[in-house]
């Protein structure tokens, strides 16, 4: 029987059974977006590359999974639910086209790609910085001074981003000139949190909650998240609105993997890197194990790790190889909360319900800090809001997300990833039997039921039409991506872990480079792509070649 054209696992067999190359120019840990991007650039530059990943699909968080029989198949996105800056010649084109990847993107509702739903108010976030300011003034006419101050900061960061993008994130004269002439607020608040800056703007709780409304995109309250990161994230979407890659997140990952293979590189799935080899203080390769535990050594001129930073430092490299400065950093790192996701298939007409090409963020109250302070109330997961999105609504012509007449939905909540919150002991996960623990299953079911209830509250009656449901906890994230704390966002974007305070693309030992959401490029799909391109440029320079522009 031929493979289904859009099944995420359609290339799993071929990419799992290939030979392990014993000698390459660049060996990469993982096949997430960062590693794939780095490998694609390096392969395009003529280097022999190989990515190794324990999962059965390539893409890391930018993957999909399928459920149901072939005659009634549902596809769900793991982590790529919407992205920004996808207009022609936008960020994604600039990062992907040099390696031969050209995707189509579906634009989300330009008048409100994000809908913030509070008990007594709805706020639709429109595309365009000026449109956003006008919408804020419309909802909060008595807060003009506060809104003007916030928007002034946003626009100053926008100018700084333009200057940085001109040199792929490196300090340059355009940035210095912008700060001197137009960025008067930037020097004073570059190390501030969003909460600290909002304190200088307003004490209006509803306005503060709206301004921080997409906090689920980084998993931190205003009192912890870097102001500059918040502004950059807002601008990523505001510049041209929200977008969704036609076909889903797996399309991007597979396109990158295809370009690597076309350049005679290797993407080997279901093969886990168990150790980075270090000789005379330099990374020289890795040990790779297949599904049966059979290991093989791979030699390389350079090693790039796109894996979780804690996994890379503690297990793959080993603390014995970390310089003292890295040990100190590693022991101070913190991660944001994890994500609980309930995937649903509903035989219902969401278009008739005016669901639209939008994301819905629901909140029980205006106290954003409480969402994090009380999300493990009494030691158990405590849901106070939800993020709701639908691939079939964002990509109505994709044709493969669900059978005709059926819509897929993902309903998510930020919750702690600590084992005790889920009724587990640390050893339960190590032993691999956590999924059978009655208390874990009970807590998981309670959260799933709560998220379904919230969906039904927002769109009454939808709950009666559910024909498939399945959930993943933050513990599930650990299982598939090895991410610390079950977070899909890497290191928390606090002021102390933002920008240059994050790990560089050069690792702690010569020959080791870093890519992915924990680097200075930041988290999310855009950050991972940037990290891969930047890591590739550094590796290429060290190996005497040039990556495509």
């Amino acid at each position: 029987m031929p493979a289904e054209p859009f099944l995420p696992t359609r290339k799993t067999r071929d990419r799992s059974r290939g030979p392990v190359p014993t000698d390459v120019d660049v060996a990469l840990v993982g096949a997430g977006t960062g590693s794939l991007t780095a490998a694609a650039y390096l392969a395009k530059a003529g280097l022999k590359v190989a990515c190794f990943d324990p999962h059965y699909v390539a893409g890391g968080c930018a993957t999909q999974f399928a459920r149901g029989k072939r005659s009634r198949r549902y596809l769900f996105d793991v982590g790529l639910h919407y992205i920004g800056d996808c207009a022609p010649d936008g960020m994604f084109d600039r990062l992907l086209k040099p390696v031969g990847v050209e995707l189509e993107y579906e634009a989300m509702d330009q008048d409100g790609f994000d809908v913030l739903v509070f008990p007594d108010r709805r706020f639709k976030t429109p595309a365009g910085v000026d449109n956003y300011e006008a919408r804020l003034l419309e909802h909060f006419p008595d807060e003009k001074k506060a809104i003007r101050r916030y928007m002034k900061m946003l626009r100053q960061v926008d100018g700084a981003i333009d200057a940085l993008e001109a040199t792929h994130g490196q300090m340059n004269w355009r940035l210095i000139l912008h700060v001197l002439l137009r960025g008067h607020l930037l020097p004073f608040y570059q190390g501030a949190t969003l909460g600290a800056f909002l304190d200088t703007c307003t004490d209006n709780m509803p306005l503060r909650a709206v301004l921080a409304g997409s906090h689920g995109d980084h998993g931190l309250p205003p009192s912890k998240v870097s102001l500059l990161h918040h502004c950059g994230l807002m601008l990523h979407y505001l510049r041209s609105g929200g977008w969704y890659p036609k076909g889903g997140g797996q399309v991007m990952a597979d396109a990158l993997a295809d370009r690597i293979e076309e350049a005679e590189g290797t993407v080997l799935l279901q093969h886990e890197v168990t150790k980075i080899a270090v000789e005379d203080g330099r990374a020289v390769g890795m040990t790779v194990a297949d599904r049966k535990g059979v290991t093989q050594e791979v030699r390389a001129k350079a090693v790039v790790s796109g894996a979780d930073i804690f996994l890379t430092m503690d297990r793959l490299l080993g603390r014995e190889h970390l310089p003292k400065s890295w040990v100190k950093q590693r022991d101070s790192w913190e991660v944001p909360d994890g994500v609980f996701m309930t995937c649903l298939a509903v035989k219902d007409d969401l278009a008739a319900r005016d669901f639209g090409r939008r994301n819905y963020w629901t909140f029980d109250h205006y106290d954003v800090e409480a969402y994090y302070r009380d999300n493990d109330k009494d030691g158990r997961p405590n849901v106070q809001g939800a993020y709701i999105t639908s691939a079939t609504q964002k990509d109505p012509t994709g044709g493969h997300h669900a059978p005709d007449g059926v819509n897929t939905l993902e309903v998510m909540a930020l919750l702690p990833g600590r084992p005790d919150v889920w009724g587990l002991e640390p050893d339960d996960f190590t032993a691999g039997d956590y999924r059978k623990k009655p208390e874990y299953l009970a807590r998981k079911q309670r959260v799933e039921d709560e998220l379904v209830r919230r969906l039904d509250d927002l769109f009454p009656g939808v709950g009666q039409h559910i024909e498939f449901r399945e959930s993943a906890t933050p513990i599930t994230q650990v299982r598939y991506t090895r991410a610390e704390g079950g977070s899909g966002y890497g290191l928390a974007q606090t002021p102390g872990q933002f920008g240059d305070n994050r790990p560089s693309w050069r690792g702690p030992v010569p020959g080791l480079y870093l890519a992915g959401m924990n680097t200075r490029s930041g988290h999310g799909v855009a950050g991972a792509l940037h990290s891969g391109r930047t890591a590739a440029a550094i590796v290429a320079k060290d190996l005497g070649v040039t990556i495509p522009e």
Side-chain angles (χ1 to χ4, degrees):
M1 181 178 294
E4 294 179 66
F6 291 106
L7 200 63
T9 55
R10 64 191 181 279
K11 293 192 176 181
T12 295
R13 178 175 295 184
D14 292 341
R15 289 179 176 157
S16 298
R17 296 186 176 185
V20 177
T22 57
D23 194 285
V24 297
D25 293 314
V26 186
L28 298 101
V29 184
T33 310
S35 291
L36 290 175
T37 304
Y41 271 95
L42 293 168
K44 189 81 171 178
L47 296 175
K48 184 179 180 181
V49 305
C51 297
F52 303 94
D53 197 289
H55 197 19
Y56 55 79
V57 290
C61 289
T63 58
Q64 292 176 309
F65 67 93
R67 290 292 186 267
K69 297 179 180 180
R70 183 167 186 169
S71 61
R72 201 158 189 80
R73 187 83 75 194
Y74 319 111
L75 265 65
F76 299 100
D77 285 291
V78 172
L80 196 164
H81 301 288
Y82 74 134
I83 50 182
D85 210 356
C86 293
D89 297 321
M91 176 189 298
F92 281 85
D93 274 358
R94 296 195 302 272
L95 289 170
L96 292 171
K97 281 187 175 181
V99 294
V101 174
E102 295 191 38
L103 304 179
E104 295 180 70
Y105 305 96
E106 294 281 358
M108 295 174 67
D109 187 346
Q110 292 282 290
D111 188 52
F113 57 88
D114 275 342
V115 182
L116 311 180
V117 183
F118 297 96
D120 60 351
R121 166 196 316 269
R122 285 194 180 198
F123 183 90
K124 296 168 66 176
T125 304
V129 174
D130 291 344
N131 295 332
Y132 181 61
E133 181 175 17
R135 185 67 51 83
L136 287 170
L137 291 169
E138 175 189 336
H139 277 256
F140 302 98
D142 297 330
E143 291 288 332
K144 290 182 180 180
K145 185 177 179 180
I147 292 169
R148 300 294 190 202
R149 180 173 173 80
Y150 173 83
M151 296 305 301
K152 183 178 181 181
M153 172 59 78
L154 203 62
R155 289 190 172 94
Q156 289 183 12
V157 173
D158 197 14
I161 290 173
D162 281 340
L164 281 170
E165 287 182 344
T167 52
H168 297 291
Q170 303 302 312
M171 183 64 70
N172 62 88
W173 67 267
R174 288 180 58 183
L175 176 60
I176 296 171
L177 192 62
H178 169 78
V179 172
L180 288 175
L181 297 180
R182 300 180 181 178
H184 305 303
L185 288 174
L186 284 175
F188 296 101
Y189 294 100
Q190 61 180 336
T193 63
L194 171 62
F197 179 69
L198 291 181
D199 286 345
T200 72
C201 298
T202 181
D203 59 4
N204 184 299
M205 289 287 284
L207 174 57
R208 291 172 68 109
V210 166
L211 295 175
S214 58
H215 60 85
D217 281 337
H218 51 69
L220 292 172
S223 62
K224 285 193 172 184
V225 70
S226 158
L227 169 64
L228 296 189
H229 171 73
H230 162 83
C231 290
L233 184 67
M234 290 294 295
L235 291 163
H236 176 66
Y237 293 107
L238 286 176
R239 281 180 162 184
S240 63
W243 300 77
Y244 182 78
K246 193 174 181 63
Q250 192 70 53
V251 171
M252 184 183 298
D254 283 349
L256 286 167
D258 289 344
R259 299 297 89 77
I260 293 167
E261 292 169 336
E262 289 168 5
E264 300 185 0
T266 300
V267 177
L268 201 53
L269 304 176
Q270 296 186 309
H271 282 70
E272 183 168 12
V273 176
T274 59
K275 200 70 179 175
I276 293 173
V278 178
E279 295 178 3
D280 298 323
R282 181 180 183 84
V284 296
M286 56 184 59
T287 302
V288 179
D290 64 16
R291 286 176 292 170
K292 296 180 180 179
V294 178
T295 62
Q296 185 169 326
E297 303 302 313
V298 179
R299 302 289 293 187
K301 298 174 185 176
V303 174
V304 177
S305 179
D308 176 77
I309 192 72
F310 293 91
L311 172 66
T312 299
M313 299 299 108
D314 295 348
R315 288 175 47 195
L316 302 185
L317 184 62
R319 291 174 70 96
E320 67 273 16
H321 295 299
L322 294 178
K324 290 183 179 179
S325 60
W326 276 81
V327 172
K328 185 177 180 180
Q329 287 182 59
R330 182 259 172 265
D331 290 343
S332 69
W333 287 335
E334 58 179 309
V335 296
D337 282 329
V339 174
F340 186 105
M341 180 170 68
T342 293
C343 299
L344 303 170
V346 297
K347 193 173 183 180
D348 189 49
D349 189 353
L350 293 183
R353 294 178 177 273
D354 194 31
F355 190 105
R357 300 186 183 194
R358 311 181 188 101
N359 302 313
Y360 294 86
W361 302 80
T362 70
F363 305 98
D364 289 356
H365 47 73
Y366 288 111
D367 186 355
V368 182
E369 297 294 327
Y371 286 101
Y372 298 86
R373 184 177 62 245
D374 302 331
N375 62 6
D376 60 347
K377 193 174 182 180
D378 301 322
R380 297 168 180 265
N382 180 39
V383 178
Q384 302 169 77
Y387 167 85
I388 302 169
T389 192
S390 168
T392 46
Q393 291 294 292
K394 292 176 293 191
D395 184 22
T397 62
H400 67 272
H401 297 286
D404 290 343
V406 176
N407 280 281
T408 59
L409 289 150
E410 286 112 13
V411 187
M412 286 161 269
L414 285 165
L415 293 169
R418 301 193 319 272
D420 62 286
V421 174
W422 298 96
L424 299 173
E425 298 291 335
D427 290 343
D428 290 334
F429 179 75
T430 305
D433 59 356
Y434 72 93
R435 289 173 292 167
K436 299 178 182 178
K437 297 287 184 178
E439 185 58 27
Y440 170 78
L441 293 173
R443 296 186 187 192
K444 178 180 178 181
Q445 189 64 57
R446 279 196 292 270
V447 175
E448 178 181 300
D449 291 343
E450 175 63 15
L451 293 182
V452 170
R453 182 192 68 77
R454 289 171 180 272
L455 169 67
D456 203 56
D457 284 348
L458 191 61
F459 296 97
V462 168
Q464 300 174 21
H465 303 287
I466 295 173
E467 63 178 38
F468 173 84
R469 58 194 278 178
E470 182 176 321
S471 295
T473 71
I475 306 299
T476 312
Q477 179 86 3
V478 176
R479 175 188 169 201
Y480 281 103
T481 68
R482 313 295 198 265
E484 182 80 7
S487 172
Y489 297 141
L491 297 177
Q493 291 279 9
T494 62
Q497 295 181 168
F498 173 75
D500 288 350
N501 293 327
R502 296 173 81 78
S504 175
W505 303 276
R506 289 189 182 275
V509 299
L512 175 61
Y513 306 82
L514 302 176
M517 59 190 176
N518 294 292
T519 65
R520 293 175 182 176
S521 303
H523 75 267
V525 179
L529 286 170
H530 267 296
S531 78
R533 192 251 175 231
T534 305
I538 295 171
V539 172
K541 182 179 179 180
D542 289 352
L543 296 184
V545 299
T546 304
I547 63 170
E549 292 291 338

